[in-house]
Amino acid sequence: MPAPKPTGRRSLLVTSATLLSLSATAPAALAAPAPGASPTATPPARMSTVGGERLGQPGTQVNLAPGVPVLPKDITARSWIVTDAESGDVLAAHNAHWQLPPASTLKMLFADTLLPRFPRTMEHKVVPSDLAGMGVGSSVVGIKEGRTYNVRDLWLGVFLRSGNDAVHVLSAMNDGVAQTVKDMQAHADELQARDTHVISPDGYDAPGQVSSAYDLSLIARSGLQKKDFRDYCSTVHAKFGDAEIQNTNRLLSGDADVPVYQGIAGVKNGNTTNAGATFTGVAERNGRVLLVTAMNPEKHDHNEVYKETAKLFDWGFRAAGKVNPVGELVPPKSALPSPGASASAGQSAGPHGSGSKPVAGATAESGSGGVGIAAAIAGGVLVLLAGGVFLINRRWPLPDLMRRRPRP
């Protein structure tokens, strides 16, 4: 069938350049606690410190100072985080590394893992085994056995309708659910998303399946480096077969009690019995790009997760440039120099400047190292990483982030 032409897209025009900011070589990771079958009522006293020591502390972490707006008082999400999508700075967080069920926000990891593997025009005829094993009550886009879909159709079903049926078909194309879960976990490990344990590719509740607000923002930031990811997650309406589908991200599509958020451009929502409502969003205002993740609001009002996310976005846009960060989103492992390369670079024009020593504590675990990175940028340093040349840049190149089109 021909590829549908989605309408009402809010595009993220991110160039395909370096992934995230660069930090020094990481020490041994803090061992993540073994995930349980269901979350406890309170966060653990000791959580991962990936991205910064304060991010491992329970409760709200923010550097309030004169000129910094106070955080909204009515945020009830068990866990949330506000980050600058370009620099990776964590502006504020609450239980950032609390391992909680992610629901369909885990589909961001699914997409970031599998999107590069299948051309969008590739076609697949659905057989009964493709749809086997879906959880009871799964959200579906309406895929039918015996019908042929192209890959673009399937991804629209994943992003707009959170279709577990589309996830299972794409997983079948990837040698099955078990292989896909293994691939997703490997990709999470590569991204240093250490709170994330994958059991099902679609985010359906499963014992031991957890992620965190920190990890979901890390995953979203990686996914947004891919043009197809940006296109799909920012699509509001599309044709799917004979039907019209609408994105269930209410900050993108709007609802009776939630207006479209100014500058919103994705990313993914979720809702299950164990997870409650979860959401990761990206938005741009006045050249500033923020990521917000909120997990499981205790207040159960209609669309509460979107209302709380909007308030955190509002705070973030007012606070950005005024508040000192409490941590950062770390780079993937492949963007970290090897110990030998790091030492060699440090003796010349490396990530810490010409002949300079690494900044104390500048590790992926602690999440510092911005000074060294800034020095590298000032020197115009190029390094060879993972078989490709990347410019070490503290900020993403995000020109013309939003190309707004009138909604139909």
Side-chain angles (χ1 to χ4, degrees):
M1 63 186 294
K5 294 183 178 180
T7 61
R9 175 180 296 128
R10 294 171 176 80
S11 296
L12 282 169
L13 305 181
V14 187
T15 59
S16 299
T18 178
L19 273 176
L20 320 181
S21 58
L22 201 66
S23 300
T25 306
L30 175 70
S38 60
T40 58
T42 57
R46 183 174 180 267
M47 294 178 281
S48 169
T49 57
V50 170
E53 292 292 333
R54 289 186 65 180
L55 300 182
Q57 299 173 17
T60 301
Q61 308 300 320
V62 63
N63 288 319
L64 292 179
V68 176
V70 297
L71 286 161
K73 299 184 184 302
D74 51 352
I75 303 299
T76 69
R78 286 186 169 189
S79 175
W80 55 260
I81 189 169
V82 181
T83 61
D84 185 309
E86 294 180 297
S87 69
D89 288 341
V90 178
L91 307 186
H94 180 77
N95 301 326
H97 280 292
W98 191 1
Q99 291 180 297
L100 296 168
S104 286
T105 49
L106 193 66
K107 289 182 173 78
M108 294 188 296
L109 178 61
F110 173 77
D112 195 33
T113 304
L114 262 63
L115 262 172
R117 301 188 179 186
F118 310 113
R120 57 167 51 196
T121 56
M122 180 178 176
E123 294 189 336
H124 178 80
K125 186 175 181 179
V126 177
V127 298
S129 61
D130 293 347
L131 301 174
M134 284 199 303
V136 177
S138 287
S139 56
V140 296
V141 69
I143 288 174
K144 301 183 186 304
E145 297 174 6
R147 189 163 181 175
T148 298
Y149 298 86
N150 63 34
V151 165
R152 190 165 183 247
D153 295 335
L154 297 172
W155 283 119
L156 286 168
V158 170
F159 278 94
L160 273 67
R161 296 297 301 170
S162 208
N164 289 5
D165 48 356
V167 169
H168 277 251
V169 171
L170 286 162
S171 296
M173 296 170 63
N174 189 57
D175 294 330
V177 167
Q179 182 61 49
T180 299
V181 166
K182 183 185 297 185
D183 292 346
M184 290 171 65
Q185 189 64 63
H187 189 52
D189 294 344
E190 154 63 15
L191 295 178
Q192 302 200 66
R194 297 172 187 163
D195 301 322
T196 300
H197 297 266
V198 185
I199 306 297
S200 67
D202 50 25
Y204 191 86
D205 286 337
Q209 179 150 275
V210 290
S211 189
S212 66
Y214 181 90
D215 279 13
L216 292 174
S217 291
L218 199 68
I219 292 162
R221 194 173 184 231
S222 174
L224 290 167
Q225 292 287 326
K226 299 175 174 64
K227 182 181 183 303
D228 281 351
F229 189 105
R230 300 192 302 272
D231 286 348
Y232 294 133
C233 80
S234 63
T235 298
V236 183
H237 302 278
K239 281 285 188 183
F240 189 89
D242 300 326
E244 172 106 356
I245 58 174
Q246 177 176 289
N247 202 311
T248 54
N249 170 357
R250 296 308 182 197
L251 292 189
L252 188 72
S253 61
D255 204 356
D257 57 342
V258 177
V260 173
Y261 190 81
Q262 180 188 349
I264 194 70
V267 176
K268 190 72 189 75
N269 57 317
N271 199 318
T272 64
T273 301
N274 287 348
T278 60
F279 179 62
T280 297
V282 63
E284 179 270 343
R285 284 187 189 174
N286 300 320
R288 180 84 61 175
V289 189
L290 299 184
L291 275 165
V292 172
T293 295
M295 303 184 76
N296 197 358
E298 293 181 5
K299 188 177 180 181
H300 295 148
D301 287 4
H302 187 244
N303 286 327
E304 182 63 23
V305 74
Y306 303 109
K307 296 172 184 176
E308 296 192 11
T309 298
K311 291 173 184 177
L312 289 170
F313 267 130
D314 287 344
W315 177 86
F317 285 121
R318 292 196 305 270
K322 303 173 185 176
V323 65
N324 288 325
V326 294
E328 73 170 3
L329 299 178
V330 297
K333 290 178 181 177
S334 60
L336 294 170
S338 66
S342 176
S344 173
Q347 294 170 3
S348 55
H352 302 287
S354 178
S356 64
K357 295 181 180 180
V359 178
T363 66
E365 184 73 18
S366 68
S368 55
V371 175
I373 297 162
I377 300 165
V381 180
L382 290 173
V383 283
L384 189 65
L385 296 173
V389 177
F390 296 88
L391 174 63
I392 301 179
N393 198 323
R394 179 72 175 152
R395 300 180 66 83
W396 282 6
L398 290 171
D400 302 322
L401 179 74
M402 300 297 299
R403 179 181 294 165
R404 295 182 180 85
R405 299 178 183 176
R407 295 178 62 209

